[in-house]
Amino acid sequence: MDNKYSNKWSEFKDSLELSKEELSEIDLKVELLGKILEIRKEKGLTQAEFAKLCNIKQEYLVRLEKSKTAPQIDTLLKILIPLGYKL
């Protein structure tokens, strides 16, 4: 993650009135979604190719990559298993 965005996120996160558990959950989601994007780019796949490989809709992948939705466990497995990863 670019440092300028990381700093903004840290500042914003610190301003929220959330429990440690809620903050941990947010951090995990951010890390997972970032890793999914990183894997796709490392493999040189377009969103369409990646979505097809993982048997998910491209539109859903777009929402994931933009952090507009958080994946359910079964969706994470659909994404990670074909790529040789596991939780």
Side-chain angles (χ1 to χ4, degrees):
M1 183 181 287
D2 188 326
N3 194 29
K4 72 178 181 177
Y5 296 115
S6 179
N7 289 338
K8 288 179 184 180
W9 168 243
S10 294
E11 291 171 16
F12 176 72
K13 187 171 72 168
D14 290 342
S15 74
L16 300 174
E17 294 182 13
L18 300 173
S19 69
K20 287 182 182 180
E21 292 81 15
E22 290 168 319
L23 289 170
S24 292
E25 183 179 335
I26 290 170
D27 286 341
L28 178 60
K29 287 177 182 178
V30 168
E31 184 178 347
L32 282 170
L33 296 175
K35 188 65 176 176
I36 290 169
L37 178 60
E38 180 184 315
I39 292 167
R40 181 178 71 76
K41 289 186 175 185
E42 282 177 358
K43 295 196 173 281
L45 298 171
T46 66
Q47 287 178 331
E49 293 166 335
F50 191 81
K52 184 175 182 178
L53 176 68
C54 298
N55 197 29
I56 60 173
K57 293 182 178 184
Q58 181 181 355
E59 295 81 12
Y60 182 73
L61 180 59
V62 170
R63 290 194 316 268
L64 281 177
E65 289 187 359
K66 290 184 176 186
S67 297
K68 294 190 183 244
T69 190
Q72 299 292 320
I73 292 293
D74 59 332
T75 305
L76 277 175
L77 295 174
K78 273 181 148 178
I79 293 170
L80 296 175
I81 289 173
L83 301 169
Y85 291 86
K86 56 185 172 181
L87 293 176

